Amino acid sequence: MKKTITLIWLLFAYFVAFPITPEKKEKEKPIEISSNLSPGDLSLDNRFIYPAWGFYFEASPGLTNIKNNNLSSEIWDSKKGLGYTFNVGYFQSLGPWFKIKTGIGISSYNNTLNANGDLPTQTLSDIDNDTYTETLTLTNVEKTTNPMYLSVPLIFEFGNPNIERIGFYADLGLKYSFLLNESYTSSGTYSTKGRYEQWEVTLENVPELGFYNNKNLATNAALKNSNISIVAGAGIFVPLSTVVIFKGGVVTNFGVADIGNNKTENTNSNVINNQVHEYRSPYIDNSLAVVKGSRTFHLGLEFGLYISHRLK
C-alpha cells in the first residue's frame, strides 16, 4: 500500500515539474494568386471566338397580313393568313458584337377580306347625268390576296455568335422587294339599285344604267411592283461546330410603303361614269390594291444557320 502511494506521488511530481506543452505549428502563409492578364485580355475582342465572315440561311414561317386602316370596318372583316420568308446571303463581322448581312430572299404574304351587307348610300349621277341615291349590296364576298416578292435585305445584327457556348442576337434593317407574283381570288356577288327622288322611283336590274342583281366581282386591280419593309428580330445562337452556328428566335417584317396602285380603269364606261366607278371600285375590285394605305406585315418564328468561312 505504501509502495502504491509513493508511486502516485512520484508521477504527480514528474508532471508538475515537466508539463507537456503542445508543439506550436508554424502558421501557413497565404498563397498569393497573381494574375498575368493584361487589360487587352478583358476586352470584348478576346472573350470568345466568333465567325469573321461567311454565309447564312434563314427561314421564317408565320402569320402574315396586308393591313389597311382605311378599309371600312363596318363592312370588311380582315383576316391574317400563313406566309413565310426565306433568305440566303453573306455576312461580314464588324467586330465581335456587330455584323452586317445582305443577300437575296423570297417573301409571301396572305390576307382574306369578307363582307356581307349594304354599304352606306351615296348620291351619284347616272350615265344620263340624272341624280339618284345608290345602294350597293355585297353578298357572300370573299377576297384573298397573296403576293410573293423577291427581296434584297440589308440587316445590322448585334450579338455574340460564339462557337463555344450559347449566345444571343438582335437584328434591325431594311428589305427592298420586287413583286414576283400576285395571286388574287374573289367570290361572291354585288347588287346595285338607284332611288330617283325626283320621280319617286327605284330602279333595279337595269344593266343599261349600271344597276345589277348578283353580278360577279371584278378582278382587274393589281398591286405595285415594289415594297419596302423594316425587319427586326431577336433570339439565340447555338454552336453546332466550329464552322456552323444555329440561330432561332422571332422576326417581324413591317411594310412602310403603300403596295396598292390606288386606281383602276373604268372598263364599263359605256354604262357607268367615272364618279360611279370610283364609288364602287373599293368594294368590287381588289380592295387592298385600290384603297390607299395597304402595307404588308409578317410575324413568325425564325430558324437559320451561319456557316463561317474564317474565325476570329
Side-chain angles (χ1 to χ4, degrees), residues 37-50:
L37 293 176
S38 64
D41 293 326
L42 298 177
S43 68
L44 292 176
D45 289 335
N46 296 312
R47 285 185 179 177
F48 51 83
I49 302 174
Y50 62 93

Side-chain angles (χ1 to χ4, degrees), residues 66-68 223 257-260 287-289 291-296:
I66 302 175
K67 295 185 173 182
N68 193 320
L223 299 173
D258 185 359
I259 62 171
S287 305
L288 294 173
V291 179
K292 292 182 179 180
S294 293
R295 292 176 173 83
T296 55

Side-chain angles (χ1 to χ4, degrees), residues 84-87 105-109 149-155 173-177 227-231 252-254 256 298:
Y84 60 84
T85 64
F86 290 108
N87 296 306
I106 293 178
S107 303
S108 175
Y109 300 90
Y149 293 91
L150 179 68
S151 305
V152 179
L154 181 63
I155 309 295
L174 291 174
K175 183 168 69 174
Y176 186 79
S177 304
N227 187 24
I228 300 175
S229 304
I230 294 175
V231 180
T252 182
N253 293 251
F254 185 80
V256 294
H298 169 96

